[in-house]
Amino acid sequence: MPELTLVIGNKNYSSWSLRPWLVLRHFGVPFEEVRLPLDTREFELNIGRYSPSGRVPVLLDGGLRVWESLAICEYVAERYVMGEAWPGDRGARAVARAVSCEMHAGFAALRGELPMNCRGRRAGVAPSPAARADIDRIAALWRECRDHRGAPGPWLFGEFSIADAMFAPVALRFDTYGVDLPGEAEAYVSTVLAHPALRELVAEGRAESEVLEAEERGTPARF
Ligand SMILES: N[C@@H](CCC(=O)N[C@@H](CS)C(=O)NCC(=O)O)C(=O)O
């Protein structure tokens, strides 16, 4: 029996749930999953049993409840991954934490206009100037992370770290809405999309039946 339980929302839509889910899966930490679909009576009735904030994700470890996606990732790194979930170099680690906090706290225009939706590509969703500024900042920040790379590898800091999990839903959004990116950012998006655990989550998200109209933008597309 895994000692950890991660309470998440829909795999198709809940970008905050995806982040700690991917960290647990990438580092092979066993956990049980409880899925509470967003915007449902089931969520409303049950979330209070698990989450002090009334939101997902939340991690249950015995009597301890950890909410907030980044705090969950930090807890998993410290308790179960023996420091491997952040870059080994102190400077790179500081930058990885800075970009993870920037993601956690920011990019509201991008998050509001281009919601995570794994179900397929969508056309006709043009980013506003504010969302375009978020996209450009993210591309610049990804480039800066790569300058701090201590190890070879395609991830932001060479090897996969929590910073990659924090940006994984952004990579999914860029793919869904066909966002124009510089070549190196496009290559990084492909790296993220090829992650085996992420592919599994996307497949499971696509198989979910719930449709949240507020999260559906544009029209089905091929590009
Ligand atoms: N800052 C939180 C955000 C959590 C969040 O907004 N979760 C959404 C789902 S992605 C949620 O629980 N929404 C349900 C609600 O607010 O009622 C985190 O990083 O975990």
Side-chain angles (χ1 to χ4, degrees), residues 139-155:
L141 166 166
W142 285 353
R143 202 172 314 121
E144 182 172 352
C145 294
R146 307 273 303 150
D147 291 343
H148 289 271
R149 209 165 6 154
W155 298 100

Side-chain angles (χ1 to χ4, degrees), residues 62-187:
L64 180 68
R65 298 190 293 181
V66 189
W67 65 103
E68 288 293 325
S69 53
L70 187 51
I72 299 171
C73 295
E74 285 280 13
Y75 178 75
V76 170
E78 189 181 315
R79 169 97 168 80
Y80 293 97
V81 189
M82 312 302 169
E84 298 287 307
W86 289 112
D89 174 79
R90 191 191 301 124
R93 196 159 59 246
V95 174
R97 284 202 162 102
V99 298
S100 298
C101 289
E102 190 173 342
M103 177 68 248
H104 195 224
F107 307 123
L110 170 73
R111 291 195 284 109
E113 291 177 33
L114 309 181
M116 189 176 105
N117 187 346
C118 309
R119 239 168 231 139
R121 295 203 163 124
R122 312 286 299 179
V125 184
S128 69
R132 188 66 236 181
D134 283 351
I135 293 162
D136 293 344
R137 169 65 193 139
I138 289 169
L141 166 166
W142 285 353
R143 202 172 314 121
E144 182 172 352
C145 294
R146 307 273 303 150
D147 291 343
H148 289 271
R149 209 165 6 154
W155 298 100
L156 290 176
F157 294 89
E159 288 175 8
F160 182 94
S161 76
I162 288 172
D164 296 292
M166 291 304 291
F167 283 97
V170 172
L172 279 169
R173 288 166 153 108
F174 287 172
D175 182 61
T176 297
Y177 300 100
V179 170
D180 255 348
L181 293 170
E184 67 211 348
E186 258 178 25

Side-chain angles (χ1 to χ4, degrees), residues 9 13-17 19 38-39 43 47 53-57 67-70 72 104 166:
Y13 297 115
S14 181
S15 60
W16 295 113
S17 302
R19 294 168 165 108
L38 298 169
D39 245 349
F43 187 93
I47 191 64
S53 67
R55 293 182 161 192
V56 286
W67 65 103
E68 288 293 325
S69 53
L70 187 51
I72 299 171
H104 195 224
M166 291 304 291

Side-chain angles (χ1 to χ4, degrees), residues 48-66:
R49 289 169 43 208
Y50 300 115
S51 174
S53 67
R55 293 182 161 192
V56 286
V58 57
L59 182 76
L60 315 175
D61 189 357
L64 180 68
R65 298 190 293 181
V66 189

